[in-house]
């Protein structure tokens, strides 16, 4: 009977559950090494099989005692074999476990003192992207693990490069052991009893393979962090003639940046392909909470003068799509969130990197729907759109629209010369999209003009609509056969904060 391969749309834990259900439906046997309630015998056999490799290592060492053994961890079965083998020796070796920053189910369980399923996000160390420690492996881990740490994708990548230079073929999961050894501080090495004479065994669980080279998440400087964010394309997929890729890649980076600093991170994706990310530094209790909210999408990269993903700095200016709007703001918010850990605040500080500001702002809506609310928030400013002139048969709607656009240009200049808010500047209006006509041989019956109106504190939807309505009526009074409909399709209230506010010192 031919085999059928089914690709799970979920994570590792979901795939295991689906495989178990398929085995029951087809009266089959589930064979894999993750143990859970009523499924422990087969994982025990697999753990015993792993011991064969460890005995082969003993033979290679020819009696040399390893002071430290470093092993990658997924669900923990191979690591279970490592603990059982080396802790049963007359002189036990110290055991160091390593996991991805973004899939640290063992590290978090050890810190907590009990096993819970963890929410994981993307990692190039795919073999370790597991959310739950195997049930039969947890007890020996509690008593036999000397140290546990996590590494970033970038650290695993640089370790693969190092190993390759020394003739060792290893993928990111396999190179994680070397990455973790490099991560140890002098104090860590002392606690593990290591010195320049120590023998360390690094267990590589994966051979060399292709993967996308990750960016460094260790950067703390907001300027350098802005450069990294600009180098990640996050153009909105609903804009332009060529849709952008959306926010998935930049959310992966931000989630990794947060987890690398042990900041709680949550992936919010009720709309497939349009994720947002939430990071939280929890307070001690009793204080007010604050949300730092910013959008992570950009407008399209087409038409940018130069390399839109360069992130280069020339004459003190940082260039690239989104460098101003608003990846520099995202970088500042992330650094402020990380700094909040040092102040031991009573209230929570929450970062929300949201999708889709450049179109419908679904990201902020979905984050709020997911329950992430605070006592205060800083948001970017949104405007509204309007639908423009329409003509009957043999009246050129596009030509009529031209009269409105001339008036719009004058109106925009008037707004710029109006009262200036000291923090957010003057209100702005422009026409980013104009659509009309079906073919060269006919008069266009409809011309649609989309307006974007950036509002400032004190302005309301009613005020903005009245201004555009007055402009349209003025044009209609001067241009024969000029007719229009005006529709507000989207609006968000403006926000601002005093530059002297103490919360900006985070």
């Amino acid at each position: 009977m031919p085999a059928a391969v089914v690709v799970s749309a979920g994570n590792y834990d979901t795939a295991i559950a689906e495989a178990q259900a398929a085995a029951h439906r087809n009266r089959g046997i589930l064979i894999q090494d993750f143990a859970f309630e009523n499924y422990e015998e087969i994982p025990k056999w697999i753990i015993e099989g792993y011991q064969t490799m460890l005995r082969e290592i003993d033979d290679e060492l020819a009696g040399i005692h390893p002071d430290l053994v470093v092993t990658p961890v997924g669900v923990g079965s191979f690591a279970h074999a490592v603990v059982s083998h080396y802790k049963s020796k007359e002189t036990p070796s110290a055991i160091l476990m390593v996991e991805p920053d973004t899939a640290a189910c063992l590290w978090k369980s050890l810190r907590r003192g009990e096993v819970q399923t963890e929410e994981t996000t993307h990692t190039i160390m795919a073999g370790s992207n597991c959310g739950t420690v195997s049930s039969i492996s947890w007890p020996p881990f509690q008593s036999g693990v000397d140290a546990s740490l996590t590494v970033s994708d970038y650290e695993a990548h640089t370790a693969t490069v190092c190993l390759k230079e020394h003739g060792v073929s290893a993928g990111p999961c396999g190179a994680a052991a070397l990455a973790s050894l490099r991560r140890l501080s002098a104090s860590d090495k002392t606690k593990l009893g290591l010195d320049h004479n120590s023998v360390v065994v690094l267990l590589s669980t994966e051979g060399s393979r292709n993967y996308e080279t990750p960016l460094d998440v260790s950067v703390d400087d907001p300027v350098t962090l802005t450069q990294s964010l600009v180098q990640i394309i996050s153009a909105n997929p609903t804009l332009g003639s060529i849709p952008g890729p959306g926010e998935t890649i930049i959310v992966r980076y931000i989630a990794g940046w947060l987890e690398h600093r042990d900041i709680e991170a949550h992936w919010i994706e009720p709309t497939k392909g349009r994720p947002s990310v939430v990071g939280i530094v929890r307070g001690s209790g009793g204080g007010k909470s604050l949300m730092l909210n910013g959008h992570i999408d950009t407008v399209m990269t087409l038409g940018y003068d130069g390399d839109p993903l360069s992130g280069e700095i020339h004459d003190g200016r940082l260039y690239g799509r989104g460098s101003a709007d608003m990846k520099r703001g995202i970088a500042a918010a992330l650094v402020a969130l990380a700094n909040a850990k040092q102040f031991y605040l009573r209230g929570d500080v929450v970062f929300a990197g949201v999708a889709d500001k450049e179109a419908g702002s679904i990201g902020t809506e979905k984050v709020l729907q997911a329950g992430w609310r605070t006592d205060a928030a800083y948001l970017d400013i949104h405007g509204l759109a309007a639908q423009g002139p329409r003509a009957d048969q043999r009246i050129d709607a596009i030509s009529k629209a031209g009269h409105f656009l001339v008036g719009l240009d004058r109106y925009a200049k008037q707004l710029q010369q109006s009262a200036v808010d000291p923090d957010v500047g003057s209100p702005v209006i422009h026409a980013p999209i104009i659509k009309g006509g079906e073919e060269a041989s006919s008069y266009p019956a409809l011309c649609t003009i989309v307006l974007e109106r950036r509002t400032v504190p004190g302005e309301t939807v009613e005020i903005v609509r009245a201004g555009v309505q007055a402009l349209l009526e003025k044009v209609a009074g001067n241009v024969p056969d000029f007719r229009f409909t005006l529709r507000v399709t989207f609006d968000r209230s403006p926000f601002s904060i005093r530059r002297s506010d103490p919360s900006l010192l985070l």
Side-chain angles (χ1 to χ4, degrees):
M1 180 178 179
V5 177
V6 179
V7 179
S8 174
N11 57 22
Y12 182 86
D13 292 50
T14 303
I16 293 297
E18 292 173 354
Q20 182 190 30
H24 284 308
R25 283 196 307 270
N26 299 289
R27 298 182 180 180
I29 300 174
L30 177 64
I31 301 177
Q32 53 84 46
D33 66 353
F34 173 59
F36 47 88
E37 187 176 358
N38 299 322
Y39 182 84
E40 295 184 342
E41 186 175 23
I42 291 176
K44 286 179 181 178
W45 294 342
I46 296 174
I47 291 170
E48 291 174 3
Y50 286 145
Q51 296 275 355
T52 302
M53 291 185 284
L54 303 175
R55 287 192 288 270
E56 290 174 349
I57 293 173
D58 289 343
D59 292 341
E60 289 292 324
L61 290 174
I64 298 174
H65 169 71
D67 299 290
L68 175 68
V69 179
V70 187
T71 179
V73 182
V75 296
S77 293
F78 179 69
H80 182 164
V82 172
V83 170
S84 299
H85 182 80
Y86 287 101
K87 290 301 182 181
S88 65
K89 301 285 188 180
E90 183 176 345
T91 304
S93 303
I95 304 295
L96 169 61
M97 303 287 194
V98 58
E99 300 169 276
D101 287 338
T102 54
C105 64
L106 175 61
W107 186 85
K108 292 181 178 180
S109 294
L110 288 170
R111 184 176 61 173
R112 187 188 306 112
E114 62 177 355
V115 174
Q116 290 183 9
T117 297
E118 301 295 338
E119 178 184 354
T120 69
T121 56
H122 174 80
T123 173
I124 60 171
M125 293 170 273
S128 293
N129 193 353
C130 307
T132 311
V133 178
S134 180
S135 62
I136 60 175
S137 300
W138 174 240
F141 287 165
Q142 287 182 291
S143 59
V145 174
D146 297 281
S148 172
L149 59 72
T150 69
V151 296
S152 69
D153 280 5
Y154 185 76
E155 289 170 314
H157 163 67
T158 57
T160 65
V161 174
C162 177
L163 290 171
K164 183 178 180 180
E165 291 173 349
H166 288 80
V168 178
S169 172
C173 287
L178 175 59
S180 69
L181 190 64
R182 289 170 151 185
R183 189 88 184 266
L184 293 178
S185 66
S187 175
D188 294 332
K189 293 174 183 177
T190 299
K191 291 177 182 178
L192 289 170
L194 300 179
D195 57 32
H196 64 282
N197 294 315
S198 297
V199 176
V200 178
V201 173
L202 304 177
L203 297 173
S204 175
T205 56
E206 177 186 46
S208 179
R209 62 175 173 83
N210 294 326
Y211 57 87
E212 188 172 342
T213 302
L215 292 173
D216 187 3
V217 295
S218 68
V219 292
D220 294 311
D221 172 64
V223 175
T224 307
L225 180 56
T226 300
Q227 290 180 289
S228 295
L229 295 172
V230 169
Q231 290 165 6
I232 302 170
I233 184 170
S234 57
N236 194 300
T238 67
L239 303 177
S241 57
I242 301 177
E247 301 86 1
T248 298
I249 299 175
I250 197 167
V251 167
R252 287 176 181 174
Y253 179 83
I254 292 173
W257 192 94
L258 294 169
E259 292 283 8
H260 192 64
R261 289 154 181 79
D262 190 26
I263 296 174
E264 182 182 333
H266 298 269
W267 186 292
I268 312 294
E269 193 179 3
T271 302
K272 189 66 176 176
R274 306 305 306 277
S276 297
V277 58
V278 171
I280 177 169
V281 172
R282 296 192 182 274
S284 58
K288 290 186 177 295
S289 55
L290 172 68
M291 177 182 286
L292 307 172
N293 179 297
H295 70 93
I296 52 179
D297 64 321
T298 71
V299 296
M300 62 183 183
T301 56
L302 292 176
Y304 187 87
D305 186 12
D307 182 358
L309 306 178
S310 71
E312 295 177 347
I313 297 176
H314 298 291
D315 298 325
R317 296 176 182 270
L318 198 158
Y319 292 88
R321 179 64 81 203
S323 55
D325 185 16
M326 63 170 299
K327 291 183 177 180
R328 63 178 179 178
I330 293 294
L334 287 170
V335 172
L337 181 71
N339 289 343
K341 292 184 67 175
Q342 306 170 20
F343 294 105
Y344 303 100
L345 303 173
R346 289 186 299 155
D348 299 340
V349 180
V350 178
F351 164 81
V354 297
D356 198 48
K357 170 265 173 185
E358 298 294 354
S361 218
I362 61 173
T364 295
E365 292 180 354
K366 300 304 182 183
V367 165
L368 294 174
Q369 289 172 8
W372 293 100
R373 297 175 182 269
T374 57
D375 296 303
Y378 301 152
L379 304 172
D380 54 317
I381 299 169
H382 301 274
L384 57 82
Q387 188 176 28
R390 177 175 181 174
D392 292 329
Q393 186 177 5
R394 300 186 65 81
I395 297 177
D396 191 329
I398 294 177
S399 295
K400 299 297 182 185
H403 295 280
F404 168 73
L405 292 173
V406 172
L408 180 69
D409 186 58
R410 296 194 188 101
Y411 181 55
K413 292 177 181 178
Q414 292 173 8
L415 287 176
Q416 291 174 3
Q417 296 169 1
S418 62
V420 177
D421 185 283
D423 295 311
V424 299
S426 301
V428 176
I429 190 169
H430 72 120
I433 300 175
I434 302 175
K435 296 180 180 179
E438 298 294 336
E439 58 190 359
S441 59
S442 64
Y443 282 81
L446 177 69
C447 179
T448 300
I449 301 176
V450 177
L451 301 180
E452 183 190 45
R453 172 69 154 78
R454 300 294 177 105
T455 52
V456 299
E459 291 189 307
T460 64
V461 175
E462 292 74 22
I463 290 174
V464 172
R465 182 186 178 100
V468 177
Q469 180 80 24
L471 173 60
L472 286 164
E473 290 176 353
K474 182 178 179 180
V475 175
N478 295 325
V479 179
D481 298 317
F482 183 93
R483 294 190 299 212
F484 65 88
T485 58
L486 175 63
R487 181 168 58 94
V488 176
T489 60
F490 173 78
D491 72 270
R492 287 290 184 269
S493 300
F495 289 81
S496 68
I497 186 170
R498 299 187 311 276
R499 295 178 186 273
S500 59
D501 193 285
S503 64
L504 295 179
L505 301 177
L506 283 175

